[in-house]
Amino acid sequence: MTKVTVVGAGNVGATCADVLAYREIAEQIVLVDIKEGIAEGKALDIWQKAPINQYDSRTVGSTNDYSKTADSDVIVITSGLPRKPGMTRDDLIETNAGIVKSVTENVVKHSPNAIIIVVSNPLDVMTYQAHITSGFSRNKVIGMAGILDTARYRAFIAEELNVSSKEIQAILMGGHGDTMVPLPRYTTVAGIPVTELIGKEKLDAIIERTKFGGGELVKLMGTSAWYAPGSAAAQMVEAILKNQRRVFPVCIKLDGEYGIDDCYLGVPVILGKNGVEKVIELDLNDEEKSMLEVSRGHVKEVMNVLDKISSK
C-alpha cells in the first residue's frame, strides 16, 4: 500500500491531502495536526466525498499520534505559524524551526525510509532544519517552492498571451521569495521562446509579480495561499510515488553544483522514486549567475540565523 503523511491540517495541508485523494496518488493519506479533532474532521470530510468524486484513496486523521503515520513512503510537512504583528524574522525562524524539528523527529521515528517534502516557511531554512534533524541523505529531504513559483509565472504568461497554461514551460531558481532567479531564456510557449512573444518590459513586470506572488494574495485575502501550494506539494508526491522522473525546480542542499556548497536553493532536478535522482546544472550566463549569488547570500544569511539559534 502506498502511504503518504501530511503533517499540518491547515489550508495547505488539507488541500494537499485532498488532491492526493481525489487524484488517487496514494492509497492511504494520513493527516496529522496538533489541534484536537481538526485532522480527523478534515480527513473524514475528504473521505465522505469519495463517492461523489469517484476515488478509492482513504484518508484518516490523527491528533498528534504519529504511530498512525508508520511506514509512510512520503512525508509532507506543512506545519508552522505565519508571521504575526510584532514578530521579528528571527522569532519566526526560531518558532517554526522548533516545530519542524519536532515533527521531523516524530515522522522519522515511524518512517525511517520516507522521503520528506518541506512546505513550511521560511522554506529554504526549514528544509535545512528538516535535513539536519532527519540525518537523511540530501536527495530525500527537499523543499517545495519552485513548482509553486513557476506555476504563478506560467499562469501570468498564459493570461498575458491568452493561451492555455498547459503550453507554458518554465524554470525558476534560487530562494523562495523576492530573490528568486527567473530564467526567461528557459521559458517557452509550445516550444517558442517567450521572449519572441512578450516584450522585455511586460515580461519584467510578470517576473516582478511572480516574485511577490505570495504577498499579493496576502493583501487580497489577509492570509497566505493554499490551493496552489497544496497542489504543488501533491504534484511532487506523485512524481515520487509513480517514479515519473519529472523535471521540477525544488529546494535541495547543493554540494558543489553551480559552484555552491552547503546552501539550500531551488534548482531543476529529476524527481523520481528515490527523491531527487539528479540535480540538473544549467549553463547560466553572467547575469543569471550574479542573481543566483545574491539569492544564495540571502538564504545563507537566514541559515546562519538558525545556526545561532541552535547553538544557544
Side-chain angles (χ1 to χ4, degrees), residues 161-295:
L161 294 174
N162 194 24
V163 299
S164 169
S165 61
K166 298 174 185 176
E167 302 294 345
I168 318 297
Q169 291 295 321
I171 285 289
L172 291 169
M173 292 178 59
H176 181 46
D178 56 7
T179 64
M180 70 177 68
V181 180
L183 298 172
R185 288 197 303 129
Y186 295 99
T187 304
T188 61
V189 183
I192 303 168
V194 72
T195 49
E196 294 186 17
L197 301 172
I198 301 178
K200 185 179 186 306
E201 185 176 341
K202 188 62 185 180
L203 190 56
D204 286 345
I206 288 173
I207 289 168
E208 285 303 301
R209 188 182 180 192
T210 302
K211 287 181 178 181
F212 299 98
E216 180 181 357
L217 290 165
V218 171
K219 287 180 181 178
L220 290 169
M221 304 187 296
T223 185
S224 53
W226 61 87
Y227 294 126
S231 298
Q235 189 175 55
M236 291 176 70
V237 174
E238 182 177 36
I240 292 166
L241 290 184
K242 297 183 179 180
N243 193 29
Q244 292 177 330
R245 298 184 64 83
R246 296 197 64 179
V247 176
F248 287 138
V250 307
C251 177
I252 185 174
K253 179 187 178 185
L254 295 181
D255 284 335
E257 296 88 357
Y258 297 96
I260 298 172
D261 280 300
D262 197 27
C263 188
Y264 293 74
L265 284 175
V267 293
V269 306
I270 297 173
L271 200 59
K273 65 180 180 180
N274 298 307
V276 172
E277 305 283 351
K278 180 183 179 181
V279 174
I280 297 173
E281 290 195 69
L282 303 176
D283 185 16
L284 302 181
N285 61 32
D286 289 342
E287 182 184 6
E288 292 159 348
K289 288 176 183 177
S290 178
M291 288 191 292
L292 186 62
E293 176 57 26
V294 170
S295 191

Side-chain angles (χ1 to χ4, degrees), residues 6-24:
V6 180
V7 185
N11 289 332
V12 175
T15 297
C16 180
D18 186 34
V19 173
L20 291 171
Y22 79 71
R23 291 185 59 186
E24 295 186 315

Side-chain angles (χ1 to χ4, degrees), residues 1-6 20 25-30 68-76 107-108 110-117 136 139-142 236-243 272-275:
M1 174 182 289
T2 52
K3 183 175 180 179
V4 176
T5 289
V6 180
L20 291 171
I25 292 170
E27 294 168 271
Q28 184 179 44
I29 300 107
V30 181
K68 292 184 179 179
T69 73
D71 301 319
S72 291
D73 299 289
V74 182
I75 309 285
V76 181
V107 295
V108 166
H110 296 283
S111 301
N113 298 312
I115 292 169
I116 298 174
I117 297 172
F136 287 0
N139 65 299
K140 296 183 68 176
V141 186
I142 53 181
M236 291 176 70
V237 174
E238 182 177 36
I240 292 166
L241 290 184
K242 297 183 179 180
N243 193 29
K273 65 180 180 180
N274 298 307

Side-chain angles (χ1 to χ4, degrees), residues 49-87:
K49 73 181 181 68
I52 301 170
N53 286 3
Q54 298 288 292
Y55 56 81
D56 294 314
S57 296
R58 294 295 300 268
T59 48
V60 297
S62 168
T63 300
N64 241 22
D65 179 6
Y66 284 87
S67 65
K68 292 184 179 179
T69 73
D71 301 319
S72 291
D73 299 289
V74 182
I75 309 285
V76 181
I77 301 176
T78 71
S79 310
L81 300 177
R83 188 166 173 174
K84 299 176 181 178
M87 196 180 215

